[in-house]
Amino acid sequence: MKNTKTLLASAILAASFGAMQVHAADVPAGVKLAKEQVLAKGGEGEPATLDPQKIQGTPGSLRARDLFEGLYSEGKDGKLVPGVAKDYTVNKDNTVYTFNLRHDAKWSDGTPVTAEDFVYGFQRLVNPQTASVYSWYAALAGVKNAQNIIDGKDKVSSLGVKALDKYTFQVTLDHSVPYFVKMTVNSSLFPAPKKTIEKWGEAWTKPGHLVSNGAYKLDKWIVNEKMVLVRNHDYWNDKKTVINQVTVLPIKDASVEFSRYQAGDLDITSNSGIPTNRYKSLLKSTPKEVKVSPALATYYYDFNNQKPPFNDVRVRKALSYAIDRTIITKYVTGVGEIPAYSFTPPDVDGFKAKEPAYEKWTQAERNKKAQALLKEAGYDKSHPLSFNLLYNTDENHKKIAIAIASMWKTTLGVNAKLENQEWKTFLDTRNLGNFGVSRDGWFGDYNEASTFLDLFKSTNTSNNAHYKSAAYDKLMAQAAKANDPAPFYQKAEDLVIDQDMAVAPIYQYTTKRLLKTYVGGYKPNLEDNLYTRDMYIIAH
């Protein structure tokens, strides 16, 4: 039972969230809008799916933010913005969250979005039959019984979610998670249209079948060419939406995307839409179109910790030490990226990782240590280590891979053969563990350190490095229950990187894109959660 103080605090909290600005195109007075409100944007690669509970990677999630809406969204500067939920209350130990849903929220077929749709979405995420690679997210969020259901030890109906009535959705956690509401921004916790999914099965996300609850609905999907979204007039805040049509182009190559932007085919690029060799000249020629801001994300290489020779920590450390991160960020990427030696980015709320030991060394010292470790592991220039370096097709990934392979060859005599694959194939290969070293990147799902460090738990299906450590799992379990998790986060960082080097952090991302000056309403944030419903086209 809540005490009086908790009820009062919850009421104040609910009122404050209810008064927050919602996602909408906030057009300043005096701005003349263009007659044709059509936006074309870069969408990175072709998404493997539009199914919110199955999305993996940026291509799917950036489209999902226009098509669907969860309990909350993220606004400028990372502030929470009410979505389907008007407000919420929470008990004193942050284990029971009760969300009050909008009565006017509807699916694109005109039917209401209800608490049962969220119950179904959450249950669907953890249901082993869904086979979601993001099922771990519900367990990470602390939803009661999530892990047992994922492991097949309990029924889906035992998940800690319920519809108290048509418009009241309640989530019960198995431990205190004070930042739980931040986690609902992720598409895996979006509602799901049960009748549509049961009717069409795997085909439910195709044009003509897809029912969504966001500001837009799917009109056309021509694979490897374009995806066209149009206004969803059943969206609860449709009257505040300005842009009528969004065309998303699946362009993986930064140079190609830049050319399309210059030709007028795009109004806004993806967050990797500025080729490194164009950055400085663009700052001089069109500075108002260059948008660079910090990102809550890390670029890194996975070592397959379960596959020889990468199950040898000496090999992993040698390869990581031999990467000159300053050269990568200054000359290869070159758009404000920060060399990374820890995994958790410095801008995350509430925790700043201390420098691991190898960060304090000079690159010459790292190289010397790398050579000694690799020789100790049985490899040198006369008996070289050879393996494939896997990356998904992209100009920047290729440049980074070439540079790092060259560093390994020069410093260690290592032969790294570059292997690129298209996005869908790459995901399958990496998920199955059919690699030695693989490119990876992680954009935080919410602004708290656990969104990065939980990635290395043994049960996390996005643990692409296949790192398994009982000691690490224990630290993260302790962090989840601690009033101050920072000391446990630091020990976890020390273990996974400084001691075990499960992955090689390379740099902290920046968000870097080009935006036409006639596009208004651009609201960047650390997690690069952008929504077309915020934007508008100015007459030009």
Side-chain angles (χ1 to χ4, degrees):
M1 294 290 289
K2 295 179 182 178
N3 59 31
T4 306
K5 287 184 179 180
T6 305
L7 282 169
L8 179 60
S10 297
I12 294 171
L13 182 65
S16 66
F17 271 93
M20 285 174 60
Q21 181 183 359
V22 297
H23 268 301
D26 185 15
V27 184
V31 170
K32 185 178 180 181
L33 294 174
K35 290 183 179 179
E36 189 177 49
Q37 290 294 319
V38 175
L39 182 77
K41 63 181 181 179
E44 297 197 6
E46 188 69 53
T49 181
L50 292 177
D51 186 327
Q53 276 76 47
K54 293 186 176 183
I55 285 171
Q56 182 183 17
T58 306
S61 60
L62 69 84
R63 291 161 174 82
R65 284 191 288 273
D66 281 343
L67 290 167
F68 297 93
E69 184 174 67
L71 294 163
Y72 279 81
S73 299
E74 188 178 40
K76 190 174 182 180
D77 301 323
K79 294 181 179 179
L80 283 172
V81 178
V84 178
K86 295 186 297 183
D87 52 48
Y88 72 92
T89 57
V90 58
N91 66 348
K92 64 181 180 180
D93 59 357
N94 297 304
T95 57
V96 180
Y97 288 81
T98 304
F99 297 90
N100 299 307
L101 309 186
R102 303 179 187 280
H103 291 210
D104 55 350
K106 294 180 181 179
W107 293 100
S108 55
D109 63 359
T111 58
V113 179
T114 68
E116 288 291 352
D117 295 323
F118 281 96
V119 169
Y120 178 64
F122 276 54
Q123 289 180 340
R124 191 167 172 266
L125 176 63
V126 299
N127 191 333
Q129 292 183 358
T130 305
S132 171
V133 294
Y134 242 77
S135 59
W136 58 269
Y137 192 74
L140 171 60
V143 183
K144 188 175 180 180
N145 281 341
Q147 193 60 56
N148 284 338
I149 297 167
I150 294 167
D151 294 340
K153 297 177 182 178
D154 218 333
K155 295 179 180 179
V156 174
S157 59
S158 69
L159 189 68
V161 292
K162 64 172 67 174
L164 300 184
D165 57 42
K166 190 173 182 179
Y167 296 109
T168 310
F169 174 59
Q170 188 173 84
V171 182
T172 300
L173 311 181
D174 57 22
H175 62 271
S176 176
V177 182
Y179 50 85
F180 174 74
V181 180
K182 289 184 180 180
M183 300 185 73
T184 67
V185 172
N186 187 268
S187 63
S188 64
L189 299 184
F190 284 3
K194 185 176 182 179
K195 290 182 179 179
T196 301
I197 295 171
E198 290 181 342
K199 179 179 180 179
W200 298 108
E202 290 291 328
W204 83 273
T205 57
K206 292 185 176 181
H209 297 176
L210 183 67
V211 172
S212 58
N213 73 316
Y216 297 88
K217 57 185 180 181
L218 182 61
D219 182 45
K220 296 176 184 176
W221 185 357
I222 304 172
V223 176
N224 293 324
E225 184 180 330
K226 65 180 178 180
M227 185 178 291
V228 180
L229 315 181
V230 295
R231 283 268 290 274
N232 173 18
H233 293 298
D234 285 306
Y235 177 58
W236 66 270
N237 202 30
D238 178 60
K239 64 182 180 181
K240 293 289 187 179
T241 304
V242 175
I243 290 178
N244 295 315
Q245 179 179 296
V246 191
T247 300
V248 190
L249 303 183
I251 307 172
K252 299 180 287 293
D253 189 297
S255 294
V256 174
E257 187 175 21
F258 175 72
S259 296
R260 297 288 296 271
Y261 177 85
Q262 291 290 80
D265 297 335
L266 288 172
D267 304 305
I268 178 172
T269 69
S270 68
N271 68 2
S272 56
I274 303 179
T276 304
N277 61 351
R278 300 279 189 171
Y279 178 59
K280 291 182 179 179
S281 63
L282 287 168
L283 285 177
K284 294 179 180 178
S285 61
T286 54
K288 292 183 179 180
E289 295 182 30
V290 177
K291 305 295 179 182
V292 177
S293 57
L296 200 66
T298 302
Y299 190 101
Y300 59 103
Y301 275 1
D302 290 311
F303 300 123
N304 193 332
N305 283 235
Q306 303 303 311
K307 183 177 181 179
F310 307 103
N311 58 347
D312 187 331
V313 67
R314 295 171 299 184
V315 172
R316 300 195 299 268
K317 283 188 173 183
L319 292 172
S320 180
Y321 292 167
I323 298 172
D324 191 328
R325 291 152 173 85
T326 300
I327 286 179
I328 296 295
T329 55
K330 189 174 182 179
Y331 299 109
V332 182
T333 58
V335 193
E337 292 84 0
I338 303 168
Y341 300 89
S342 298
F343 190 74
T344 308
D347 293 315
V348 73
D349 272 354
F351 172 67
K352 187 173 179 64
K354 296 177 183 176
E355 292 180 346
Y358 77 107
E359 182 176 356
K360 302 170 187 176
W361 307 340
T362 65
Q363 189 57 46
E365 289 172 329
R366 292 187 201 109
N367 290 345
K368 186 176 180 179
K369 184 66 174 177
Q371 290 164 353
L373 285 168
L374 200 62
K375 188 172 184 178
E376 187 180 318
Y379 301 95
D380 56 27
K381 292 184 179 181
S382 61
H383 179 224
L385 172 64
S386 300
F387 56 86
N388 284 11
L389 171 55
L390 178 69
Y391 64 95
N392 56 294
T393 304
D394 177 274
E395 182 185 9
N396 287 332
H397 299 330
K398 182 179 180 180
K399 288 179 179 178
I400 293 167
I402 290 172
I404 290 177
S406 176
M407 292 171 186
W408 286 338
K409 181 68 175 178
T410 302
T411 304
L412 304 173
V414 166
N415 298 316
K417 181 181 178 182
L418 304 191
E419 179 184 1
N420 73 294
Q421 295 180 347
E422 294 301 310
W423 179 244
K424 293 179 185 179
T425 306
F426 168 78
L427 287 180
D428 289 340
T429 301
R430 199 177 61 182
N431 290 341
L432 292 170
N434 295 332
F435 70 92
V437 180
S438 172
R439 183 209 78 85
D440 213 332
W442 189 256
F443 279 75
D445 292 311
Y446 52 95
N447 196 351
E448 209 270 346
S450 60
T451 190
F452 290 91
L453 294 174
D454 268 289
L455 205 62
F456 300 109
K457 287 167 61 176
S458 301
T459 55
N460 193 318
T461 49
S462 289
N463 180 355
N464 298 319
H466 300 278
Y467 174 71
K468 298 185 185 303
S469 166
Y472 189 88
D473 292 345
K474 183 178 179 180
L475 284 170
M476 293 310 296
Q478 291 172 311
K481 297 177 181 179
N483 290 328
D484 179 15
F488 297 102
Y489 289 155
Q490 185 58 58
K491 289 179 181 178
E493 271 278 0
D494 291 342
L495 180 56
V496 74
I497 301 298
D498 212 13
Q499 293 180 47
D500 291 345
M501 197 63 76
V503 300
I506 298 172
Y507 63 78
Q508 309 297 341
Y509 281 90
T510 52
T511 295
K512 43 190 180 292
R513 58 167 46 88
L514 293 168
L515 178 74
K516 298 293 187 183
T517 55
Y518 53 76
V519 178
Y522 176 68
K523 299 177 181 178
N525 52 60
L526 280 172
E527 294 176 73
D528 200 38
N529 285 330
L530 300 181
Y531 306 83
T532 304
R533 60 182 179 251
D534 288 339
M535 300 180 189
Y536 51 89
I537 306 297
I538 303 167
H540 62 282

